[in-house]
Amino acid sequence: MPTLETAPSTGGLRRIAIDPLSRVEGHGKVTLLLDADHHVQQARLHIVEFRGFERFIQGRPYWEVPVMVQRLCGICPVSHHLGAAKALDLVVGATTLTPTADRVRRLMHYGQILQSHALHFFHLASPDLLFGFDSDPAKRNIVGVAAAQPQLARQGVFLRKFGQEVIRVTAGKRVHGTGAVPGGVNKRVTRAERDELRAALPGVLEWAREGVRLVSSLHLANRERFDRFGVARSNLLSLVGKDGALELYDGTLRARGPDGEILFDGVDGQQYRSRIEEEVKSWSYMKFPYLSALGPETGWYKVGPLARVQNCDFIDTPLAEAERVTFRKAFGGAVTHAPLASHWARLIELLHAAEVIARLLDDDALSDGPLTTSGPRRTEGVGVIEAPRGTLIHHYKVAPDDLVTMCNLIVSTTHNNTAMNEVIRAVARDELDGHEPTEALLNRVEVAIRSFDPCLSCATHALGQMPLVVDVVDADGRPLASVRRDAP
Amino acid sequence: MTAPQRPARKLRVATTSLAGCFGCHMSLLDIDERLFELLEVVELDRSPLTDLKHCGRCDLGLVEGGLCNAENVHVLREFRKQCKTLVAVGACAITGGLPAQRNSLDVRDCLQTVYLTGPSTTHARIPNDPELPLPLDQVHPLHDVVRIDYFLPGCPPSADAFWELLTALIAGRTPQLGHGLMTYD
Ligand code: SF4
């Protein structure tokens, strides 16, 4: 079977671009090359932007980093904030945080999971599932959902609002707060704030349960379609907690093969480099990670809700655990690689996040106790966390003068790079091949990508170059800059 | 907080993120349930929330993020051409923001750091493909390239600041960012 990554020859092929990808976060596009009979010869997801965070963080004082790196992504800023803080905890010698710092950070993190998952499902992806992949593009959005199912749209907005409020009380502001510092946190959560959040919990838990019910019934009602759409078998990677529990803040790395066999388990995140390598390809700014032991051909993997819910052995909150069991049973206990099953898994995690928040809000350590701790300085630290979209790795080296000398980031969406590319190739092969590519058919490619909830913004932290020239002129047409890059 | 005044017809609003992090868009969504009030009086054109890939004639355009590549410049020009009123939203759009930290660095050096010497990188090479837009050597604020009608500061501007901007423009008055709405972080 042709891989469709690279056409044997590009001569005479017609280029179709889905640009920009919409209802995803960040900047990306898909290009397809078709021959005269509409046979797909090449399909690629390109990440088209670069920002260079890894470079300009070098030379900055380490304590600035958790606040700077949030600006990688406004949807999951908390994940970057905490990923960096966890790495820098080790640099300041804080190997075990105070109970207050641990609880405040966890609360912040699960607030983040809840709001991001709500945003993804209700605001971005649900129109495809509610109205159909091929429905009218003018209505296929949150405005359409608000018109057709106002109750559902409101629940989505309220769920996201609750998650954002959890972030506000723990980080100081909803987007780009400052709660975590290397070695701990800079504020507690007051009893009044806890009471206020607790008052909203019954509604939140109920809507979260309704969300799972809605997605599972949509999936089960369309099984034929949903189970087969865009399937690409891959390995799975995520953190798991003690005894194999679903764990999103801290834990050890576990990888499974496509059939669920364990490839490695209990791996300390500090050792990520012994397990994961990243390949660079000429046509995307996003690197292509793979499990080193298997190599780039077969070592690529999925991260995120679908991987996590199937990688863990159980969920330690009762409502979500019951839903996980139902989910696994629905697939006969086998690992499903159906991208659309991600929505189901994501809503199970949303429910889990609501339950964890409820549990944490009862913990008085949120309101009392020391905020930070420290120990002997170290020169290096790795922070691994499960961001809404999957495993996120932050790695820093810090010199004795407190300045960062090295920064390496592997963000969730980057882990999914090959998987997303393979899924769009599956859709191209199964659904588009031989047909004139209409808007409706092209939306199916986006439906497949959206199932990953890609955070293309996070993925653009790298820098790149192209052999083109561009003139920048000011508002009056005067040349401001002519930008040219020499061909390599 | 005042409810938006109902204009004679729905206003068309387009939004886009250039070299930004989407945080400004998130802060706009942080108007929470006021979103439904807003949708009574505006219609969304091109936006990350819709599937419209090009900007049609609009009353208002909100642009998050600065200019870091040729594609950004292209989209900004399209927005300027199509939108009667164009707003630079957030620190990145107004000054280049955090991505402009790379302005003091040599692009080649950045490329090497990321693609050639990254600690877990194999098949090291620098991406180079006609599908990838040309990065500018400097990150520019929007007003370097087009005329901007309003600037909404903040990283991101707060939801209430967005609300004041939108309700004022919908009502046809000049937005007034009072105490607490003018922020820089
Ligand atoms: S101004 Fe801040 S929130 Fe807005 S895009 Fe830039 S970094 Fe993100």
Side-chain angles (χ1 to χ4, degrees), chain A residues 127-203:
Chain A
D128 296 319
L129 305 185
L130 296 170
F131 306 145
F133 306 167
D134 306 345
S135 57
D136 176 4
K139 303 219 170 71
R140 212 169 48 205
N141 53 51
I142 177 74
V143 186
V145 177
Q149 303 211 28
Q151 192 56 25
L152 183 73
R154 280 191 181 268
Q155 287 176 4
V157 164
F158 282 120
L159 280 171
R160 176 176 180 278
K161 178 183 183 179
F162 179 75
Q164 290 288 78
E165 281 299 290
V166 170
I167 294 172
R168 188 182 60 77
V169 303
T170 47
K173 93 196 218 278
R174 283 180 166 200
V175 180
H176 303 333
T178 57
V181 294
V185 293
N186 62 14
K187 79 189 279 287
R188 300 176 187 88
V189 180
T190 66
R191 281 169 214 278
E193 287 166 334
R194 284 162 57 198
D195 287 343
E196 206 171 305
L197 290 173
R198 260 198 296 240
L201 272 173

Side-chain angles (χ1 to χ4, degrees), chain B residues 13-131:
Chain B
V13 178
T15 78
T16 190
S17 171
L18 303 177
C21 78
F22 261 69
C24 289
H25 274 82
M26 289 305 102
S27 200
L28 171 59
L29 288 180
D30 281 340
I31 62 174
D32 298 329
E33 60 273 22
R34 285 177 282 174
L35 179 66
F36 299 109
E37 273 172 67
L38 185 66
L39 293 176
E40 301 272 302
V41 291
V42 307
E43 238 165 334
L44 284 179
D45 197 274
R46 173 179 166 161
S47 160
L49 293 171
T50 70
D51 283 347
L52 307 178
K53 310 281 182 188
H54 289 282
C55 185
R57 290 297 297 161
C58 283
D59 299 289
L60 176 62
L62 304 178
V63 182
E64 158 197 310
L67 304 165
C68 80
N69 66 26
E71 170 74 19
N72 294 155
V73 175
H74 178 80
V75 174
L76 177 63
R77 289 206 178 116
E78 177 183 288
F79 266 67
R80 179 66 276 182
K81 214 167 107 216
Q82 298 286 33
C83 301
K84 275 189 232 152
T85 301
L86 196 63
V87 185
V89 168
C92 296
I94 296 172
T95 67
L98 201 66
Q101 288 282 325
R102 78 160 162 90
N103 286 359
S104 60
L105 302 169
D106 177 33
V107 174
R108 192 174 305 271
D109 179 32
C110 291
L111 291 166
Q112 286 178 351
T113 305
V114 175
Y115 292 107
L116 302 183
T117 58
S120 49
T121 305
T122 63
H123 302 76
R125 65 176 118 175
I126 291 169
N128 180 1
D129 190 276
E131 292 293 354

Side-chain angles (χ1 to χ4, degrees), chain A residues 15 50 74 278 285 287 463 466, chain B residues 21 110 114-115 122 131 133 135:
Chain A
R15 171 183 175 274
F50 65 87
E278 296 179 281
Y285 286 128
K287 296 175 187 177
L463 265 163
M466 275 72 47
Chain B
C21 78
C110 291
V114 175
Y115 292 107
T122 63
E131 292 293 354

Side-chain angles (χ1 to χ4, degrees), chain A residues 341-376:
Chain A
S342 308
H343 296 296
W344 189 349
R346 191 171 291 113
L347 272 282
I348 295 174
E349 288 191 342
L350 190 157
L351 176 59
H352 171 62
E355 289 182 281
V356 173
I357 291 168
R359 190 164 69 194
L360 284 166
L361 287 174
D362 285 337
D363 195 328
D364 287 334
L366 284 173
S367 311
D368 300 297
L371 297 175
T372 55
T373 171
S374 62

Side-chain angles (χ1 to χ4, degrees), chain A residues 226-465:
Chain A
F226 278 36
D227 283 358
R228 294 208 191 124
F229 180 80
V231 172
R233 285 166 53 81
S234 73
N235 307 295
L236 311 173
L237 178 79
S238 72
L239 292 177
V240 291
K242 261 210 296 318
D243 314 319
L246 179 71
E247 167 62 55
L248 306 178
Y249 176 72
D250 202 18
T252 53
L253 288 165
R254 174 190 278 181
R256 291 184 191 267
D259 292 315
E261 68 283 12
I262 298 236
L263 299 175
F264 58 72
D265 198 4
V267 172
D268 181 353
Q270 304 304 311
Q271 310 301 324
Y272 80 99
R273 276 196 284 172
S274 67
R275 303 294 174 157
I276 296 166
E277 286 169 358
E278 296 179 281
E279 186 181 12
V280 182
K281 295 190 185 189
S282 61
W283 47 271
S284 183
Y285 286 128
M286 187 153 75
K287 296 175 187 177
F288 294 80
Y290 56 89
L291 304 176
S292 338
L294 297 176
E297 290 303 315
T298 58
W300 52 279
Y301 51 88
K302 277 193 270 292
V303 299
L306 189 59
R308 288 191 292 242
V309 164
Q310 302 187 99
N311 207 8
C312 71
D313 301 321
F314 66 98
I315 300 179
D316 70 356
T317 57
L319 301 177
E321 171 62 4
E323 297 295 347
R324 185 195 69 86
V325 170
T326 309
F327 175 93
R328 296 305 307 262
K329 272 203 197 122
F331 298 97
V335 173
T336 174
H337 294 281
L340 292 175
S342 308
H343 296 296
W344 189 349
R346 191 171 291 113
L347 272 282
I348 295 174
E349 288 191 342
L350 190 157
L351 176 59
H352 171 62
E355 289 182 281
V356 173
I357 291 168
R359 190 164 69 194
L360 284 166
L361 287 174
D362 285 337
D363 195 328
D364 287 334
L366 284 173
S367 311
D368 300 297
L371 297 175
T372 55
T373 171
S374 62
R377 263 288 281 271
R378 296 194 204 168
T379 55
E380 188 167 359
V382 176
V384 185
I385 193 164
E386 285 293 327
R389 294 151 185 83
T391 314
L392 168 68
I393 301 173
H394 278 236
H395 180 188
Y396 302 95
K397 287 187 186 162
V398 181
D401 63 2
D402 290 354
L403 302 185
V404 174
T405 57
M406 192 283 299
C407 160
N408 190 39
L409 310 170
I410 309 183
V411 303
S412 321
T413 298
T414 301
H415 291 288
N416 277 330
N417 197 0
T418 303
M420 289 192 293
N421 270 284
E422 287 305 318
V423 160
I424 63 169
R425 285 170 201 143
V427 172
R429 211 163 16 231
D430 300 345
E431 316 245 338
L432 270 66
D433 200 64
H435 302 284
E436 170 66 26
T438 58
E439 192 282 334
L441 283 176
L442 293 177
N443 185 50
R444 294 187 196 172
V445 173
E446 291 192 79
V447 167
I449 293 175
R450 269 178 217 128
S451 73
F452 287 89
D453 184 13
C455 191
L456 304 176
S457 190
C458 292
T460 57
H461 56 274
L463 265 163
Q465 62 171 8

